[in-house]
Amino acid sequence: MTSGQRWRIGAQRELTKTMMAEVAYLGSYSDDISLTQRLDYLPEQYWADGLVRNDAIANALNATVPNPFNIRNFEFLRTQNPVLYQDMATNGFFTATTRSVASLLRAYPHMNGVNNTRVPSAESKYA
């Protein structure tokens, strides 16, 4: 649960009949702000570092390879679990013949775009 506090303190002074000055300090603090955390991240060892684009790394990660999750690799399910096999046969993840290297190197490569949106791990401050 996010909690927050705000504060303001100030002083005003009339300098003349038509002029006033004010000095104030204000701030805010909130904690346990939820952030979205990607769970199917690409491990750090595959990241490109430096300030210049590394085409070799980008090309290697974008290369396609045969899909290890292709439905043809699960023929035994056709007889053992036909309902599951039929469901897989309608899912593009299992019918695709190729996958990118980057998608297979990710944690949970069989799931695409897995995010946890309830990570209370951020805070916000200003003063």
Side-chain angles (χ1 to χ4, degrees), residues 69-75 85 94-97:
F69 300 103
N70 187 277
I71 190 83
R72 284 177 280 177
N73 296 330
F74 300 97
E75 279 298 321
Y85 185 86
F94 295 105
T95 58
T97 56

Side-chain angles (χ1 to χ4, degrees), residues 34-53:
S34 292
L35 292 178
T36 299
Q37 179 182 21
R38 186 171 183 163
L39 298 179
D40 65 339
Y41 59 88
L42 184 66
E44 186 176 359
Q45 70 235 36
Y46 301 109
W47 296 358
D49 56 1
L51 299 175
V52 178
R53 179 178 170 85

Side-chain angles (χ1 to χ4, degrees), residues 30-105:
S30 297
D31 64 353
D32 291 336
I33 298 172
S34 292
L35 292 178
T36 299
Q37 179 182 21
R38 186 171 183 163
L39 298 179
D40 65 339
Y41 59 88
L42 184 66
E44 186 176 359
Q45 70 235 36
Y46 301 109
W47 296 358
D49 56 1
L51 299 175
V52 178
R53 179 178 170 85
N54 188 330
D55 287 328
I57 291 176
N59 292 338
L61 291 174
N62 290 328
T64 57
V65 294
N67 183 3
F69 300 103
N70 187 277
I71 190 83
R72 284 177 280 177
N73 296 330
F74 300 97
E75 279 298 321
F76 65 93
L77 286 176
R78 188 186 298 264
T79 56
Q80 289 181 2
N81 193 338
V83 174
L84 176 60
Y85 185 86
Q86 182 58 37
D87 184 55
M88 290 170 63
T90 62
N91 186 326
F93 178 81
F94 295 105
T95 58
T97 56
T98 60
R99 299 279 299 164
S100 73
V101 171
S103 70
L104 294 173
L105 291 173

